[in-house]
Amino acid sequence: MEATAIVEDEVRELVRRRAIDPADDASAVRRLAEEVVADYDERSLTGRLPVLVDRDAVVRTVVDAVAGYGPLQVHLDDPEVEEIWINEPGKVFVARGGRSELTTTILTEAGVHDLVERMLRTSGRRLDLSSPFVDAALPSGARLHVVIPDITRRHWAVNIRKFVVGATRTEHLVALGTMTASCAAFLDAAVASGLNVVVAGGTQAGKTTMLNCLSAAVPARERVVTVEEVFELTKQDQPLMSA
């Protein structure tokens, strides 16, 4: 058995014995992984166990597998990754700066199913033949979309959209070159005055970012009401209600 797999099995056993919830206490899982790796490294000196080549890498891999979302965790932790999608187990794509790229991440069919089940655990949503597609939110706020056969032809299709905050006020959009200073001033005044503003555009066009920037101009005493759950809205100065 590969060294990393042996360490992972030992960490999982300790997690069970100590009744640790990996989803709620990832730091405890990391401490266990570091302890197990240190102990394993000493035992491997006898030559009876495979040698660990990179202790830090093994700790990261085991923590991701036990307390995170396995091979996808590295992409979820990458602040430059905006979106992740799985067309099939051997084809995992990410998007950076609006451009897609095929990663070296290789999954198995069972691995994809296991990851999706873990992602849905906190949402209360289910995925089966009677409900072959699901939209949910991860604890981080990222959106999860999954579709399974017979809606898809063969494999489970998984999409995770992260909300990468690039701007929170219209002045930030000016600095980024998205709009002029006069345009930003006009929009801020329109929002503060209570005028109707329509934000429209294609996927990844920046609608939610624009909405967040506009919401910064909402007077502090106003109440914000949404007609659906929008997890990426970050406005916290006013009460935010979903209707």
Side-chain angles (χ1 to χ4, degrees), residues 79-236:
E80 294 185 354
V81 171
E82 303 160 345
E83 190 170 4
I84 305 165
W85 63 95
I86 305 171
N87 290 347
E88 58 183 74
K91 293 183 179 179
V92 179
F93 294 82
V94 299
R96 288 187 176 88
R99 295 180 178 275
S100 63
E101 59 184 69
L102 178 64
T103 70
T104 57
T105 301
I106 302 295
L107 304 172
T108 63
E109 198 82 42
V112 173
H113 298 180
D114 178 65
L115 286 172
V116 170
E117 288 177 5
R118 272 193 273 172
M119 291 176 180
L120 292 177
R121 195 168 297 159
T122 58
S123 71
R125 306 291 175 89
R126 66 190 180 91
L127 189 66
D128 51 38
L129 292 178
S130 64
S131 182
F133 53 87
V134 68
D135 294 328
L138 300 182
S140 64
R143 287 184 182 181
L144 171 68
H145 308 274
V146 186
V147 184
I148 65 174
D150 289 330
I151 302 300
T152 59
R153 177 172 296 181
R154 179 180 176 185
H155 302 288
W156 286 25
V158 182
N159 176 266
I160 303 171
R161 290 188 61 189
K162 296 165 60 181
F163 182 62
V164 181
V165 180
T168 57
R169 307 180 69 87
T170 54
E171 61 193 60
H172 298 155
L173 296 178
V174 173
L176 291 169
T178 303
M179 63 176 63
T180 63
S182 58
C183 179
F186 172 79
L187 289 173
D188 284 345
V191 172
S193 300
L195 300 180
N196 293 329
V197 179
V198 177
V199 179
T203 301
Q204 296 284 13
K207 300 184 297 295
T208 304
T209 298
M210 174 64 79
L211 187 57
N212 270 322
C213 291
L214 293 178
S215 71
V218 176
R221 293 187 179 182
E222 295 291 337
R223 182 179 63 171
V224 178
V225 181
T226 67
V227 297
E228 63 174 298
E229 288 185 311
V230 184
F231 306 107
E232 297 90 346
L233 289 182
T234 58
K235 189 60 181 170
Q236 300 297 330

Side-chain angles (χ1 to χ4, degrees), residues 6 13 22 36-37 40 42 69 133 150 154 169 175 182 236:
I6 296 174
E13 180 61 27
V36 171
V37 164
Y40 180 96
E42 291 185 7
Y69 297 119
F133 53 87
D150 289 330
R154 179 180 176 185
R169 307 180 69 87
S182 58
Q236 300 297 330

Side-chain angles (χ1 to χ4, degrees), residues 63-81:
V63 172
D64 288 349
V66 177
Y69 297 119
L72 295 184
Q73 192 63 48
V74 65
H75 305 307
L76 290 167
D77 291 342
D78 188 338
E80 294 185 354
V81 171

